[in-house]
Amino acid sequence: MTVELSLIIPCYNEAKNLPTLVKRCSEVLNQPNLEVILVDNCSSDETASILPELIKPYPSLRSVRVEKNQGYGFGILSGLKAANGKYLAWTHADMQTDPADVLKGLAEINKAPADSQLFIKGQRYGRPFSDVFFTLGMGVFETLLLGTWLYDINAQPTIFPKSFFDSWKNPPYDFALDLYAYYQAKKQNLLIKRFPVHFGKRLHGVSTWNINWRAKMKFIIRTVNFSLSLRKRLKGA
């Protein structure tokens, strides 16, 4: 069977969210030629024991286990490497965005000319003002640093052709993966499409970075360091 699209969802200590997540993924799997890959990113909770049972009823829903957590981006990359789809996508497991949002992106693919090289990304609404302000500031910084318009960089889902993924060289293993993919899409002149997605509260658990301003500062420092190395790499190319 030809797989049109593979949706990757990294899961780190999301055991309480998994039943709802799998239920929402079933809507995606009702569509033909789609698959969903849940990546257990070396969780320390009950994910490893409950995930196999939850996915049993769904032949097109499978899991990948990462034995050593090397970051959010590494988990996604592990799923992307295992995917069979012509198009690849990722989103989050915390239910702040709905996995079924990927179907809106698939609709953009289906109405585009067959030879189109699309990079499709959600655009979040419904977020607290402080988070919107933080995102806007990061977008302005990255735009000025890298010389191309970038905004709502970490919005989900993110969707692109497998051939685009195959072109990546040394992608980052942390949250900078969102920036890397978005920037590479602009650099390679993919057609950028955005669509609105509601961004709500986490169903269970806590964010690994969006906890307070101290955690956000650590995120900023990591992202800035990666951005500077990316710009340096571009100048040397």
Side-chain angles (χ1 to χ4, degrees):
M1 180 186 73
T2 300
V3 178
E4 183 67 17
L5 184 144
S6 301
L7 175 61
I8 313 303
I9 307 179
C11 306
Y12 178 67
N13 291 347
E14 297 285 1
K16 292 182 179 180
N17 285 325
L18 286 177
T20 303
L21 175 65
V22 169
K23 184 177 180 180
R24 293 302 300 145
C25 284
S26 66
E27 182 176 334
V28 177
L29 297 172
N30 283 336
Q31 306 298 314
N33 304 326
L34 302 186
E35 69 173 358
V36 177
I37 300 174
L38 302 181
V39 180
D40 178 3
N41 204 5
C42 195
S43 299
S44 58
D45 63 2
E46 299 83 14
T47 294
S49 60
I50 68 175
L51 186 55
E53 292 300 316
L54 287 172
I55 68 177
K56 270 185 181 179
Y58 307 101
S60 296
L61 176 59
R62 53 195 175 97
S63 65
V64 170
R65 168 75 178 178
V66 174
E67 294 302 330
K68 179 181 179 181
N69 189 311
Q70 299 182 56
Y72 158 85
F74 185 85
I76 291 173
L77 292 167
S78 300
L80 293 174
K81 291 174 182 177
N84 298 315
K86 178 182 175 182
Y87 273 82
L88 308 178
W90 75 69
T91 193
H92 295 164
D94 56 18
M95 300 307 299
Q96 287 185 286
T97 53
D98 191 332
D101 286 334
V102 76
L103 299 178
K104 300 175 185 177
L106 185 61
E108 294 287 343
I109 294 171
N110 290 336
K111 69 184 183 183
D115 59 348
S116 297
Q117 290 288 294
L118 298 176
F119 183 83
I120 302 170
K121 203 165 179 61
Q123 184 173 336
R124 295 172 288 186
Y125 68 91
R127 304 168 68 210
F129 175 77
S130 60
D131 287 352
V132 174
F133 181 78
F134 175 79
T135 295
L136 178 62
M138 288 299 295
V140 170
F141 171 80
E142 297 296 351
T143 294
L144 294 174
L145 183 68
L146 297 175
T148 188
W149 172 236
L150 300 165
Y151 69 100
D152 205 0
I153 295 166
N154 294 93
Q156 307 300 329
T158 301
I159 309 169
F160 45 85
K162 185 178 185 301
S163 57
F164 172 60
F165 170 62
D166 291 338
S167 74
W168 293 2
K169 296 180 181 179
N170 301 318
Y173 285 0
D174 59 10
F175 278 95
L177 183 65
D178 288 288
L179 170 62
Y180 176 87
Y182 190 8
Y183 177 76
Q184 288 296 328
K186 298 292 289 283
K187 183 181 177 183
Q188 296 184 33
N189 295 317
L190 272 67
L191 179 61
I192 311 294
K193 293 282 188 179
R194 305 293 295 248
F195 63 90
V197 296
H198 180 259
F199 192 84
K201 295 181 179 180
R202 286 182 62 96
L203 188 60
H204 297 288
V206 296
S207 171
T208 58
W209 74 274
N210 192 10
I211 305 170
N212 51 43
W213 280 102
R214 178 179 295 180
K216 286 184 178 181
M217 281 304 300
K218 290 182 179 179
F219 169 81
I220 290 171
I221 291 169
R222 290 198 305 268
T223 303
V224 168
N225 287 338
F226 171 76
S227 302
L228 292 172
S229 67
L230 180 60
R231 188 176 68 168
K232 184 177 179 180
R233 192 190 313 173
L234 292 173
K235 287 184 175 181

